[in-house]
Amino acid sequence: MTHTASPTDAAYVAVDWGTSSFRLWLVGRDGAALAERRSGEGMTTAARTGFAEVLQSHLAAISAPEGLPVLICGMAGAKQGWVEAGYLDTPAALSAIPAAAVRVPGVEADIRILPGLAQRDATAPDVIRGEETQLLGAAADLGSGNHLVCMPGTHSKWVRLSGGKVEGFSTFMTGELFDAVAKNTILSHAIADAGAIAPDNTAFRAAVTRMVANPALATSQLFSVRAGSLIAGLSPEDAKARLSGTLIGLEIAGALSLAAKDTPVMLVASGSLGTLYGQALAAAGLSPTVIDADTAVRTGLAVGAKALWSL
Amino acid sequence: MTHTASPTDAAYVAVDWGTSSFRLWLVGRDGAALAERRSGEGMTTAARTGFAEVLQSHLAAISAPEGLPVLICGMAGAKQGWVEAGYLDTPAALSAIPAAAVRVPGVEADIRILPGLAQRDATAPDVIRGEETQLLGAAADLGSGNHLVCMPGTHSKWVRLSGGKVEGFSTFMTGELFDAVAKNTILSHAIADAGAIAPDNTAFRAAVTRMVANPALATSQLFSVRAGSLIAGLSPEDAKARLSGTLIGLEIAGALSLAAKDTPVMLVASGSLGTLYGQALAAAGLSPTVIDADTAVRTGLAVGAKALWSL
């Protein structure tokens, strides 16, 4: 996707560089996106073809002025990425994230990569890379006080914010477990050929509710997907919904177990995953505020760029 | 494995016919095993080569007398098996299991296959096939009153017994989930090349204890295997132990959530899996009585044969 830029107005370049995706925005002095690029050249690809080369090709494609500062978040800062950007340890003030960005050495332009967050806790060690920037963007809309921020995905992140500080966070392997269980266990027969889960699927909501009530039964509820298919005529659609609702409900129960009752919840998500989590949170009795994940990461990069370069 | 039989003393043949394993005993009038056969000709293989042929080849190999009654338990009674043996619905008296055995038609000998158990419950549909016979054997050692019987495996079964009656049961996908997660998720890197879990591994016991205290955090504790490897130097051995302890601890927490406090627990298991579950149950503060799973299935088949044929 390419737009034509008006190079004279450009202030900086923002990049969200994930494991398998690359997104770049040329941002104007007024904060508007003058051009945007999206591609599949994530960390995995760029580690082979060269990070500098990938970035340069996209800058050239939009005729970006030479020498603009570039702010990057995501897996480009991982150990296997371009330049390792390390982690800020929790508790961490969100405002400390931009200053901890690491500069890419050996290039003339000011290219910086934002750090991740690390929770160095013996019983719950955890890491974030990429979502800290969504968080920086989403928090711009939050007041002080305590907040629980849900960022669903392959590895869902739930962050406990107090004022502008990350007190702690938890990663739930929900999306990756869904794939592993759906493809590589006996449940694959029960959900074969099922389509997308309908937003109003009652089997999904019931599974979420059961997990919030008794999360200890999670792996038994998973087997009930198989047994329900064998002896109770559970349809492939409802089987898939039950599997998804069990894993998402377990995640919600876990996240709530670490926060004070009635802590306000914010959902940072996009598309069908956002719809599904909205349904799940409602089934769990929660009324989250919702922020689009794409908007959040762009806002987070803008907050970072302003802090670093007084733009 | 073959022993030489003394055919004149033989009373019946007992068969434990699983998905991937076949075990047969020629049993004497005094209940002793006169001969034993073990092979990999489980349901999957026999469905191709013929159940009658597999059984006949093993009977011939031990020179079993013609026309002995044969009692079979396990997947040979599944829909994809030899003859579908259906399910007894819970609540079900254990004593009702033998009489519900299904006779194999079209053969002269009296060959019967024991039924499974089904829990037709909308929120927790569940099925057992094979373990009902272990249960029949294990229960011979139990008094009346309430008992919780744990039969660990690919699909662990926990049965709630009251007197001689199965009130209900829960299947936990523990073993299958361990394999799927260990092989097909990002955790595979953390546990690469780890050996067997040592019986005294403290990471295993700590993971069990954490799950019993807060099972809702299960999928976050799974991710901590990855994060611990990234930022806390978690060894492959401890990573594997943490993964296993989390899944087994979650299973124990779930099973306990459905039983009255202080219900006596019986563990029916063999070998290293039995040792691991013994450690896990101890970490959860339980002191189970232990019965060998092989003994339990043989005793269960003997109880069934006596009931059916007044042996």
Side-chain angles (χ1 to χ4, degrees):
Chain A
M1 191 163 130
T2 309
H3 301 275
T4 309
S6 169
T8 50
D9 296 328
Y12 68 97
V13 174
V15 180
D16 178 11
W17 210 328
T19 302
S20 57
S21 69
F22 173 94
R23 290 188 298 171
L24 176 150
W25 298 272
L26 180 66
V27 185
R29 294 185 194 287
D30 60 355
L34 302 175
E36 179 178 356
R37 300 280 298 176
R38 292 183 181 232
S39 91
E41 294 155 299
M43 179 190 71
T44 311
T45 302
R48 290 198 308 269
T49 60
F51 288 89
E53 289 73 11
V54 170
L55 177 61
Q56 193 48 51
S57 74
H58 287 282
L59 292 175
I62 55 170
S63 308
E66 293 286 317
L68 279 182
V70 179
L71 186 59
I72 301 170
C73 71
M75 294 302 286
K79 191 174 280 188
Q80 322 90 298
W82 190 356
V83 177
E84 187 171 6
Y87 300 102
L88 268 186
D89 289 358
T90 57
L94 287 174
S95 59
I97 294 176
V102 167
R103 194 161 167 183
V104 174
V107 292
E108 204 168 327
D110 188 353
I111 304 176
R112 304 200 201 192
I113 307 180
L114 290 166
L117 298 176
Q119 179 168 280
R120 299 184 192 276
D121 173 321
T123 62
D126 214 329
V127 292
I128 269 183
R129 187 172 298 284
E131 292 89 352
E132 76 294 325
T133 305
Q134 285 185 30
L135 196 64
L136 199 58
D141 279 12
L142 293 173
S144 58
N146 298 321
H147 298 275
L148 200 47
V149 183
C150 167
M151 295 176 280
T154 302
H155 297 159
S156 290
K157 309 285 180 182
W158 284 74
V159 177
R160 298 179 289 285
L161 276 181
S162 178
K165 191 190 284 182
V166 176
E167 295 290 353
F169 59 90
S170 306
T171 301
F172 298 84
M173 284 183 62
T174 307
E176 190 171 15
L177 278 176
F178 179 88
D179 284 343
V181 170
K183 287 180 192 152
N184 303 298
T185 74
I186 199 168
L187 301 197
S188 61
H189 305 297
I191 66 177
D193 302 324
I197 300 165
D200 59 350
N201 184 297
T202 54
F204 175 78
R205 294 175 65 108
V208 171
T209 308
R210 280 196 295 274
M211 278 299 96
V212 172
N214 191 354
L217 288 176
T219 59
S220 176
Q221 281 292 308
L222 292 184
F223 186 76
S224 81
V225 172
R226 163 71 172 168
S229 167
L230 277 180
I231 65 168
L234 188 70
S235 70
E237 284 68 29
D238 283 354
K240 185 177 179 183
R242 190 173 187 133
L243 166 57
S244 175
T246 298
L247 291 172
I248 294 177
L250 178 61
E251 168 187 332
I252 293 172
L256 294 182
S257 79
L258 297 176
K261 198 171 168 350
D262 297 328
T263 302
V265 174
M266 171 180 268
L267 172 61
V268 183
S270 303
S272 59
L273 191 64
T275 306
L276 204 60
Y277 269 74
Q279 289 287 325
L281 292 167
L286 300 168
S287 308
T289 53
V290 180
I291 291 193
D292 180 78
D294 288 348
T295 306
V297 75
R298 278 195 50 201
T299 306
L301 286 163
V303 168
K306 275 177 203 151
L308 284 170
W309 297 305
S310 311
L311 297 167
Chain B
M1 190 163 130
T2 309
H3 302 277
T4 307
S6 169
T8 50
D9 296 328
Y12 68 97
V13 174
V15 180
D16 178 10
W17 209 328
T19 302
S20 57
S21 68
F22 173 94
R23 289 188 300 170
L24 176 150
W25 298 273
L26 180 66
V27 184
R29 295 184 193 289
D30 60 355
L34 303 175
E36 180 178 357
R37 301 280 298 175
R38 292 183 180 231
S39 92
E41 292 155 299
M43 179 190 71
T44 311
T45 301
R48 289 197 309 269
T49 60
F51 288 89
E53 289 73 11
V54 169
L55 176 62
Q56 193 48 50
S57 74
H58 287 282
L59 291 175
I62 55 170
S63 308
E66 292 286 317
L68 280 182
V70 179
L71 187 59
I72 301 170
C73 71
M75 294 302 285
K79 192 174 279 189
Q80 323 90 298
W82 190 356
V83 176
E84 188 172 6
Y87 300 102
L88 269 187
D89 289 357
T90 57
L94 287 174
S95 59
I97 293 176
V102 168
R103 193 161 167 183
V104 174
V107 293
E108 204 168 328
D110 188 352
I111 304 177
R112 303 198 201 193
I113 307 179
L114 290 166
L117 297 177
Q119 179 169 282
R120 299 183 192 276
D121 173 322
T123 62
D126 214 329
V127 291
I128 269 183
R129 188 172 296 284
E131 292 88 353
E132 76 293 326
T133 305
Q134 285 185 31
L135 196 62
L136 199 58
D141 279 12
L142 292 174
S144 59
N146 298 322
H147 297 275
L148 201 47
V149 182
C150 168
M151 294 176 280
T154 302
H155 297 160
S156 291
K157 309 285 180 182
W158 284 73
V159 177
R160 298 179 289 285
L161 275 182
S162 178
K165 194 190 283 181
V166 176
E167 295 290 353
F169 60 90
S170 306
T171 302
F172 297 84
M173 284 183 62
T174 307
E176 190 171 15
L177 278 175
F178 179 88
D179 284 343
V181 171
K183 288 180 191 152
N184 303 297
T185 73
I186 199 167
L187 302 197
S188 61
H189 305 297
I191 66 176
D193 303 324
I197 300 165
D200 59 350
N201 184 297
T202 54
F204 175 78
R205 294 176 65 107
V208 171
T209 308
R210 279 195 296 274
M211 278 299 95
V212 173
N214 191 354
L217 288 176
T219 60
S220 176
Q221 281 291 311
L222 292 185
F223 187 76
S224 81
V225 172
R226 163 71 172 169
S229 167
L230 277 179
I231 66 169
L234 189 69
S235 70
E237 283 68 27
D238 283 355
K240 185 176 179 184
R242 190 172 188 136
L243 167 58
S244 175
T246 298
L247 291 173
I248 295 177
L250 178 61
E251 169 187 330
I252 293 173
L256 294 182
S257 78
L258 296 177
K261 198 171 168 348
D262 298 328
T263 302
V265 174
M266 170 180 269
L267 172 62
V268 182
S270 303
S272 58
L273 191 64
T275 307
L276 205 59
Y277 269 75
Q279 289 288 323
L281 292 166
L286 300 168
S287 308
T289 52
V290 181
I291 291 194
D292 180 77
D294 289 347
T295 305
V297 76
R298 277 195 50 201
T299 306
L301 286 163
V303 169
K306 274 177 203 152
L308 284 170
W309 297 305
S310 311
L311 297 166

